[in-house]
Amino acid sequence: MATRVAFENSNEIGVFAALTNGYCLTGINRSENFYSVFEAELSSHIPVIHATIAGCRFVGRTTVGNRRGLLVPSTCTDQELAHLRNSLPDSVVVQRVEERLSALGNIVACNDHVALVHPDVDRETEDVISDVLGVEVFRQIVGGQALVGSYCKFSNQGGMVHPRTTVEDIEELSSLLQVPLVAGTVNRGSDVLGGGLIVNDWSSFVGLDTTSTEISVIENIFRLSGATGGAGGQQGQGQQSNIVTNMRSSLIDQLS
């Protein structure tokens, strides 16, 4: 299920939160409303942690991680690093990265098996990503955009890419990642998927402006809709898939 949420007056929730299968990080807000949405949905499964990076709230764009590890930029203070290590499960490795492109969430997109990175990332950073997160690393662009973390989002179940990505590129990326992919938008037509969407294998959160059509596409491709048993359930899922496909086609037609 996809949950709509906003950080103060911003729909770019992916800037202020990071979600994996092992933990969730949220930026510190003036009120607890933002944090409480994640806590209500996730706290029975994974820890939800208040965090800052270099004293700033945009933890979603400065960090990248999966269930095995979390990478933070060199600007992260010793105190913040200690807080993250104390709060996260023992199985999660927290590592600082000395990388010129320090907004790691913008330049890396990953799940628990594969990572796509900006073509200009340092070789040492590529090795750290591979070692700490336990993933295969590929230098890639998505829809003509080098900021792969901003313009695509994928979990172990499926993924979404920039709406102007060609069919050939989607097929190539899908083969590389070994998950189904679809082109789409969030927040009423925004192509910055990393900013408006965070997702793991069983839940997702989207900006408050995200339309019901966009949510249907997201729930379908990330397999978040509740699975129903039996032949009736399969028929229902088939009908839902057709509806979503038609809605997605009309949405892409409007954008192109």
Side-chain angles (χ1 to χ4, degrees), residues 166-180:
T166 64
V167 174
E168 292 79 9
D169 286 349
I170 289 175
E171 289 175 354
E172 181 187 337
L173 283 169
S174 183
S175 173
L176 197 66
L177 302 173
Q178 294 294 297
V179 296

mmCIF file with all atom_site columns, all heavy atoms in Angstrom, residues 166-180:
data_model
loop_
_atom_site.group_PDB
_atom_site.id
_atom_site.type_symbol
_atom_site.label_atom_id
_atom_site.label_alt_id
_atom_site.label_comp_id
_atom_site.label_asym_id
_atom_site.label_entity_id
_atom_site.label_seq_id
_atom_site.pdbx_PDB_ins_code
_atom_site.Cartn_x
_atom_site.Cartn_y
_atom_site.Cartn_z
_atom_site.occupancy
_atom_site.B_iso_or_equiv
_atom_site.pdbx_formal_charge
_atom_site.auth_seq_id
_atom_site.auth_comp_id
_atom_site.auth_asym_id
_atom_site.auth_atom_id
_atom_site.pdbx_PDB_model_num
ATOM 1   N N   . THR A 1 166 ? 13.355 5.585   -22.923 1.00 0.00 ? 166 THR A N   1
ATOM 2   C CA  . THR A 1 166 ? 12.871 4.845   -24.089 1.00 0.00 ? 166 THR A CA  1
ATOM 3   C C   . THR A 1 166 ? 12.560 3.394   -23.714 1.00 0.00 ? 166 THR A C   1
ATOM 4   O O   . THR A 1 166 ? 13.071 2.869   -22.718 1.00 0.00 ? 166 THR A O   1
ATOM 5   C CB  . THR A 1 166 ? 13.916 4.848   -25.219 1.00 0.00 ? 166 THR A CB  1
ATOM 6   O OG1 . THR A 1 166 ? 15.096 4.149   -24.763 1.00 0.00 ? 166 THR A OG1 1
ATOM 7   C CG2 . THR A 1 166 ? 14.281 6.271   -25.620 1.00 0.00 ? 166 THR A CG2 1
ATOM 8   N N   . VAL A 1 167 ? 11.727 2.759   -24.527 1.00 0.00 ? 167 VAL A N   1
ATOM 9   C CA  . VAL A 1 167 ? 11.351 1.359   -24.293 1.00 0.00 ? 167 VAL A CA  1
ATOM 10  C C   . VAL A 1 167 ? 12.594 0.469   -24.308 1.00 0.00 ? 167 VAL A C   1
ATOM 11  O O   . VAL A 1 167 ? 12.731 -0.451  -23.482 1.00 0.00 ? 167 VAL A O   1
ATOM 12  C CB  . VAL A 1 167 ? 10.339 0.886   -25.365 1.00 0.00 ? 167 VAL A CB  1
ATOM 13  C CG1 . VAL A 1 167 ? 10.062 -0.609  -25.223 1.00 0.00 ? 167 VAL A CG1 1
ATOM 14  C CG2 . VAL A 1 167 ? 9.042  1.670   -25.266 1.00 0.00 ? 167 VAL A CG2 1
ATOM 15  N N   . GLU A 1 168 ? 13.522 0.742   -25.220 1.00 0.00 ? 168 GLU A N   1
ATOM 16  C CA  . GLU A 1 168 ? 14.755 -0.054  -25.306 1.00 0.00 ? 168 GLU A CA  1
ATOM 17  C C   . GLU A 1 168 ? 15.571 0.065   -24.024 1.00 0.00 ? 168 GLU A C   1
ATOM 18  O O   . GLU A 1 168 ? 16.087 -0.937  -23.510 1.00 0.00 ? 168 GLU A O   1
ATOM 19  C CB  . GLU A 1 168 ? 15.611 0.388   -26.505 1.00 0.00 ? 168 GLU A CB  1
ATOM 20  C CG  . GLU A 1 168 ? 15.008 0.085   -27.861 1.00 0.00 ? 168 GLU A CG  1
ATOM 21  C CD  . GLU A 1 168 ? 13.923 1.092   -28.274 1.00 0.00 ? 168 GLU A CD  1
ATOM 22  O OE1 . GLU A 1 168 ? 13.765 2.128   -27.580 1.00 0.00 ? 168 GLU A OE1 1
ATOM 23  O OE2 . GLU A 1 168 ? 13.239 0.828   -29.265 1.00 0.00 ? 168 GLU A OE2 1
ATOM 24  N N   . ASP A 1 169 ? 15.686 1.300   -23.500 1.00 0.00 ? 169 ASP A N   1
ATOM 25  C CA  . ASP A 1 169 ? 16.441 1.509   -22.264 1.00 0.00 ? 169 ASP A CA  1
ATOM 26  C C   . ASP A 1 169 ? 15.767 0.831   -21.081 1.00 0.00 ? 169 ASP A C   1
ATOM 27  O O   . ASP A 1 169 ? 16.439 0.283   -20.200 1.00 0.00 ? 169 ASP A O   1
ATOM 28  C CB  . ASP A 1 169 ? 16.599 3.009   -21.986 1.00 0.00 ? 169 ASP A CB  1
ATOM 29  C CG  . ASP A 1 169 ? 17.612 3.676   -22.897 1.00 0.00 ? 169 ASP A CG  1
ATOM 30  O OD1 . ASP A 1 169 ? 18.333 2.932   -23.599 1.00 0.00 ? 169 ASP A OD1 1
ATOM 31  O OD2 . ASP A 1 169 ? 17.681 4.921   -22.918 1.00 0.00 ? 169 ASP A OD2 1
ATOM 32  N N   . ILE A 1 170 ? 14.420 0.883   -21.049 1.00 0.00 ? 170 ILE A N   1
ATOM 33  C CA  . ILE A 1 170 ? 13.696 0.224   -19.955 1.00 0.00 ? 170 ILE A CA  1
ATOM 34  C C   . ILE A 1 170 ? 13.947 -1.282  -19.987 1.00 0.00 ? 170 ILE A C   1
ATOM 35  O O   . ILE A 1 170 ? 14.197 -1.905  -18.949 1.00 0.00 ? 170 ILE A O   1
ATOM 36  C CB  . ILE A 1 170 ? 12.180 0.527   -20.045 1.00 0.00 ? 170 ILE A CB  1
ATOM 37  C CG1 . ILE A 1 170 ? 11.913 1.994   -19.689 1.00 0.00 ? 170 ILE A CG1 1
ATOM 38  C CG2 . ILE A 1 170 ? 11.383 -0.383  -19.111 1.00 0.00 ? 170 ILE A CG2 1
ATOM 39  C CD1 . ILE A 1 170 ? 10.471 2.427   -19.859 1.00 0.00 ? 170 ILE A CD1 1
ATOM 40  N N   . GLU A 1 171 ? 13.919 -1.871  -21.177 1.00 0.00 ? 171 GLU A N   1
ATOM 41  C CA  . GLU A 1 171 ? 14.162 -3.310  -21.302 1.00 0.00 ? 171 GLU A CA  1
ATOM 42  C C   . GLU A 1 171 ? 15.588 -3.662  -20.885 1.00 0.00 ? 171 GLU A C   1
ATOM 43  O O   . GLU A 1 171 ? 15.823 -4.676  -20.211 1.00 0.00 ? 171 GLU A O   1
ATOM 44  C CB  . GLU A 1 171 ? 13.888 -3.763  -22.739 1.00 0.00 ? 171 GLU A CB  1
ATOM 45  C CG  . GLU A 1 171 ? 12.410 -3.761  -23.096 1.00 0.00 ? 171 GLU A CG  1
ATOM 46  C CD  . GLU A 1 171 ? 12.156 -4.095  -24.559 1.00 0.00 ? 171 GLU A CD  1
ATOM 47  O OE1 . GLU A 1 171 ? 13.160 -4.215  -25.315 1.00 0.00 ? 171 GLU A OE1 1
ATOM 48  O OE2 . GLU A 1 171 ? 10.986 -4.231  -24.933 1.00 0.00 ? 171 GLU A OE2 1
ATOM 49  N N   . GLU A 1 172 ? 16.551 -2.806  -21.276 1.00 0.00 ? 172 GLU A N   1
ATOM 50  C CA  . GLU A 1 172 ? 17.956 -3.048  -20.907 1.00 0.00 ? 172 GLU A CA  1
ATOM 51  C C   . GLU A 1 172 ? 18.153 -2.959  -19.392 1.00 0.00 ? 172 GLU A C   1
ATOM 52  O O   . GLU A 1 172 ? 18.791 -3.819  -18.779 1.00 0.00 ? 172 GLU A O   1
ATOM 53  C CB  . GLU A 1 172 ? 18.843 -2.024  -21.614 1.00 0.00 ? 172 GLU A CB  1
ATOM 54  C CG  . GLU A 1 172 ? 20.329 -2.194  -21.320 1.00 0.00 ? 172 GLU A CG  1
ATOM 55  C CD  . GLU A 1 172 ? 21.177 -1.055  -21.887 1.00 0.00 ? 172 GLU A CD  1
ATOM 56  O OE1 . GLU A 1 172 ? 20.719 -0.395  -22.843 1.00 0.00 ? 172 GLU A OE1 1
ATOM 57  O OE2 . GLU A 1 172 ? 22.275 -0.845  -21.361 1.00 0.00 ? 172 GLU A OE2 1
ATOM 58  N N   . LEU A 1 173 ? 17.556 -1.909  -18.775 1.00 0.00 ? 173 LEU A N   1
ATOM 59  C CA  . LEU A 1 173 ? 17.663 -1.740  -17.327 1.00 0.00 ? 173 LEU A CA  1
ATOM 60  C C   . LEU A 1 173 ? 16.971 -2.878  -16.586 1.00 0.00 ? 173 LEU A C   1
ATOM 61  O O   . LEU A 1 173 ? 17.461 -3.372  -15.571 1.00 0.00 ? 173 LEU A O   1
ATOM 62  C CB  . LEU A 1 173 ? 17.058 -0.399  -16.902 1.00 0.00 ? 173 LEU A CB  1
ATOM 63  C CG  . LEU A 1 173 ? 17.895 0.854   -17.169 1.00 0.00 ? 173 LEU A CG  1
ATOM 64  C CD1 . LEU A 1 173 ? 17.057 2.109   -16.941 1.00 0.00 ? 173 LEU A CD1 1
ATOM 65  C CD2 . LEU A 1 173 ? 19.127 0.883   -16.279 1.00 0.00 ? 173 LEU A CD2 1
ATOM 66  N N   . SER A 1 174 ? 15.806 -3.284  -17.083 1.00 0.00 ? 174 SER A N   1
ATOM 67  C CA  . SER A 1 174 ? 15.062 -4.370  -16.451 1.00 0.00 ? 174 SER A CA  1
ATOM 68  C C   . SER A 1 174 ? 15.867 -5.664  -16.467 1.00 0.00 ? 174 SER A C   1
ATOM 69  O O   . SER A 1 174 ? 15.896 -6.406  -15.484 1.00 0.00 ? 174 SER A O   1
ATOM 70  C CB  . SER A 1 174 ? 13.724 -4.564  -17.168 1.00 0.00 ? 174 SER A CB  1
ATOM 71  O OG  . SER A 1 174 ? 12.960 -5.556  -16.535 1.00 0.00 ? 174 SER A OG  1
ATOM 72  N N   . SER A 1 175 ? 16.556 -5.910  -17.575 1.00 0.00 ? 175 SER A N   1
ATOM 73  C CA  . SER A 1 175 ? 17.411 -7.093  -17.680 1.00 0.00 ? 175 SER A CA  1
ATOM 74  C C   . SER A 1 175 ? 18.592 -7.001  -16.715 1.00 0.00 ? 175 SER A C   1
ATOM 75  O O   . SER A 1 175 ? 18.990 -7.988  -16.090 1.00 0.00 ? 175 SER A O   1
ATOM 76  C CB  . SER A 1 175 ? 17.911 -7.225  -19.118 1.00 0.00 ? 175 SER A CB  1
ATOM 77  O OG  . SER A 1 175 ? 18.857 -8.252  -19.234 1.00 0.00 ? 175 SER A OG  1
ATOM 78  N N   . LEU A 1 176 ? 19.139 -5.784  -16.584 1.00 0.00 ? 176 LEU A N   1
ATOM 79  C CA  . LEU A 1 176 ? 20.276 -5.549  -15.694 1.00 0.00 ? 176 LEU A CA  1
ATOM 80  C C   . LEU A 1 176 ? 19.885 -5.745  -14.228 1.00 0.00 ? 176 LEU A C   1
ATOM 81  O O   . LEU A 1 176 ? 20.603 -6.385  -13.447 1.00 0.00 ? 176 LEU A O   1
ATOM 82  C CB  . LEU A 1 176 ? 20.788 -4.121  -15.907 1.00 0.00 ? 176 LEU A CB  1
ATOM 83  C CG  . LEU A 1 176 ? 22.170 -3.741  -15.406 1.00 0.00 ? 176 LEU A CG  1
ATOM 84  C CD1 . LEU A 1 176 ? 23.240 -4.498  -16.153 1.00 0.00 ? 176 LEU A CD1 1
ATOM 85  C CD2 . LEU A 1 176 ? 22.375 -2.235  -15.572 1.00 0.00 ? 176 LEU A CD2 1
ATOM 86  N N   . LEU A 1 177 ? 18.730 -5.204  -13.856 1.00 0.00 ? 177 LEU A N   1
ATOM 87  C CA  . LEU A 1 177 ? 18.281 -5.226  -12.462 1.00 0.00 ? 177 LEU A CA  1
ATOM 88  C C   . LEU A 1 177 ? 17.531 -6.493  -12.102 1.00 0.00 ? 177 LEU A C   1
ATOM 89  O O   . LEU A 1 177 ? 17.334 -6.784  -10.912 1.00 0.00 ? 177 LEU A O   1
ATOM 90  C CB  . LEU A 1 177 ? 17.377 -4.011  -12.188 1.00 0.00 ? 177 LEU A CB  1
ATOM 91  C CG  . LEU A 1 177 ? 17.977 -2.629  -12.431 1.00 0.00 ? 177 LEU A CG  1
ATOM 92  C CD1 . LEU A 1 177 ? 16.920 -1.553  -12.279 1.00 0.00 ? 177 LEU A CD1 1
ATOM 93  C CD2 . LEU A 1 177 ? 19.127 -2.371  -11.466 1.00 0.00 ? 177 LEU A CD2 1
ATOM 94  N N   . GLN A 1 178 ? 17.072 -7.222  -13.112 1.00 0.00 ? 178 GLN A N   1
ATOM 95  C CA  . GLN A 1 178 ? 16.279 -8.436  -12.902 1.00 0.00 ? 178 GLN A CA  1
ATOM 96  C C   . GLN A 1 178 ? 14.975 -8.169  -12.152 1.00 0.00 ? 178 GLN A C   1
ATOM 97  O O   . GLN A 1 178 ? 14.526 -8.990  -11.350 1.00 0.00 ? 178 GLN A O   1
ATOM 98  C CB  . GLN A 1 178 ? 17.119 -9.493  -12.154 1.00 0.00 ? 178 GLN A CB  1
ATOM 99  C CG  . GLN A 1 178 ? 18.297 -10.021 -12.939 1.00 0.00 ? 178 GLN A CG  1
ATOM 100 C CD  . GLN A 1 178 ? 17.873 -10.820 -14.170 1.00 0.00 ? 178 GLN A CD  1
ATOM 101 O OE1 . GLN A 1 178 ? 17.229 -11.850 -14.054 1.00 0.00 ? 178 GLN A OE1 1
ATOM 102 N NE2 . GLN A 1 178 ? 18.223 -10.329 -15.350 1.00 0.00 ? 178 GLN A NE2 1
ATOM 103 N N   . VAL A 1 179 ? 14.372 -6.997  -12.379 1.00 0.00 ? 179 VAL A N   1
ATOM 104 C CA  . VAL A 1 179 ? 13.044 -6.689  -11.852 1.00 0.00 ? 179 VAL A CA  1
ATOM 105 C C   . VAL A 1 179 ? 12.242 -5.988  -12.948 1.00 0.00 ? 179 VAL A C   1
ATOM 106 O O   . VAL A 1 179 ? 12.828 -5.363  -13.836 1.00 0.00 ? 179 VAL A O   1
ATOM 107 C CB  . VAL A 1 179 ? 13.091 -5.767  -10.599 1.00 0.00 ? 179 VAL A CB  1
ATOM 108 C CG1 . VAL A 1 179 ? 13.779 -6.456  -9.438  1.00 0.00 ? 179 VAL A CG1 1
ATOM 109 C CG2 . VAL A 1 179 ? 13.744 -4.430  -10.911 1.00 0.00 ? 179 VAL A CG2 1
ATOM 110 N N   . PRO A 1 180 ? 10.907 -6.106  -12.927 1.00 0.00 ? 180 PRO A N   1
ATOM 111 C CA  . PRO A 1 180 ? 10.104 -5.383  -13.926 1.00 0.00 ? 180 PRO A CA  1
ATOM 112 C C   . PRO A 1 180 ? 10.170 -3.882  -13.700 1.00 0.00 ? 180 PRO A C   1
ATOM 113 O O   . PRO A 1 180 ? 10.181 -3.417  -12.549 1.00 0.00 ? 180 PRO A O   1
ATOM 114 C CB  . PRO A 1 180 ? 8.683  -5.916  -13.693 1.00 0.00 ? 180 PRO A CB  1
ATOM 115 C CG  . PRO A 1 180 ? 8.674  -6.424  -12.293 1.00 0.00 ? 180 PRO A CG  1
ATOM 116 C CD  . PRO A 1 180 ? 10.067 -6.904  -12.015 1.00 0.00 ? 180 PRO A CD  1
#
